Amino acid sequence: MSPQMIDLLWTSLLETLAMVGVAGGIAVIIGIPLGVILIVTARGAMLQNLAVNHVLGVIINATRSVPFVILMVAIIPFTRWVAQTSIGTAAAIVPLSVAAIPFMARIAENAMREVDPGLITAARAMGASPLQIICKVLLPEALPGLVAATIVTIVSLIGYSAMAGAIGGGGLGDLGIRYGYQRFLPEVMLAVVLVLIALVQAVQSLGDWLVRRMSHR
């Protein structure tokens, strides 16, 4: 590839990292608390509230059911309102975040379900408040699972970010479509695919290493 194309590939990689990093951060900040709410409001849980649990569960499931390509198009007005534009890297972060939050919430909930119920029962017996149980028992015990859930979310976001290129979202997907597909440059498409594969492998390897370090099982 020409030096110009290599520069474009590097710029696109940085755009992808920005999109995935910001959207992933938003997903963690919002998704994990939502997962906690799902856990503590479930039937028989310490803050049982079936109405809240059911409504939140329906919203999360409904959002997860919408294919990402359709979701991007459906929330263009919301994207334009938040980012003041519907194209580019900043705009792509909005649908990426909307897609990642419910995904993160559900797998975070599953990670926290793996915590030994006996630990929570013991903490309640010792008079710990619900907030203390969440902060000092539930989240610390579920930390390896939550890290693994975060890695799964980030890997999914890398794939979603490539699809965002279909509507001018920038990043590696946009580069692959504009140059690799529309301009018939197969070497560019190959380079984009290889970079995406390397990126996913790097993120997954880092995540596996972190989980091994944090796991006490």
Side-chain angles (χ1 to χ4, degrees):
M1 289 191 298
S2 66
Q4 180 185 8
M5 198 57 63
I6 293 175
D7 288 341
L8 281 173
L9 184 64
W10 174 249
T11 301
S12 298
L13 173 60
L14 294 180
E15 290 175 350
T16 294
L17 292 175
M19 287 189 289
V20 171
V22 174
I26 293 172
V28 169
I29 292 171
I30 300 177
I32 290 180
L34 289 178
V36 170
I37 293 173
L38 288 171
I39 284 290
V40 301
T41 60
R43 187 182 300 276
M46 53 186 165
L47 296 175
Q48 176 179 309
N49 189 321
L50 298 182
V52 170
N53 188 272
H54 178 71
V55 171
L56 183 57
V58 168
I59 293 173
I60 288 174
N61 289 338
T63 307
R64 290 180 62 199
S65 300
V66 180
F68 181 66
V69 173
I70 296 176
L71 178 67
M72 284 191 298
V73 177
I75 66 170
I76 281 177
F78 177 68
T79 300
R80 189 176 291 116
W81 178 71
V82 172
Q84 303 301 310
T85 180
S86 59
I87 60 174
T89 302
I93 290 173
V94 177
L96 286 172
S97 300
V98 172
I101 288 170
F103 184 84
M104 182 69 196
R106 193 58 81 182
I107 56 178
E109 176 197 12
N110 292 335
M112 287 181 280
R113 286 190 188 280
E114 298 298 319
V115 175
D116 185 357
L119 296 174
I120 297 175
T121 301
R124 295 178 70 177
M126 289 187 291
S129 68
L131 182 60
Q132 289 174 323
I133 293 174
I134 291 169
C135 295
K136 297 183 179 181
V137 179
L138 186 62
L139 291 177
E141 289 296 319
L143 187 58
L146 292 175
V147 171
T150 301
I151 296 303
V152 171
T153 301
I154 290 175
V155 170
S156 298
L157 281 172
I158 293 173
Y160 288 163
S161 71
M163 284 188 280
I167 60 169
L172 291 168
D174 182 55
L175 179 66
I177 290 172
R178 285 193 296 117
Y179 288 88
Y181 177 71
Q182 295 177 347
R183 301 189 184 186
F184 304 102
L185 296 174
E187 67 275 14
V188 175
M189 184 67 76
L190 177 61
V192 167
V193 170
L194 291 177
V195 170
L196 286 171
I197 291 173
L199 185 58
V200 168
Q201 290 294 330
V203 170
Q204 190 64 60
S205 297
L206 176 61
D208 292 343
W209 178 80
L210 287 173
V211 170
R212 286 196 300 269
R213 289 293 299 270
M214 293 179 178
S215 180
H216 48 71
R217 297 179 184 178

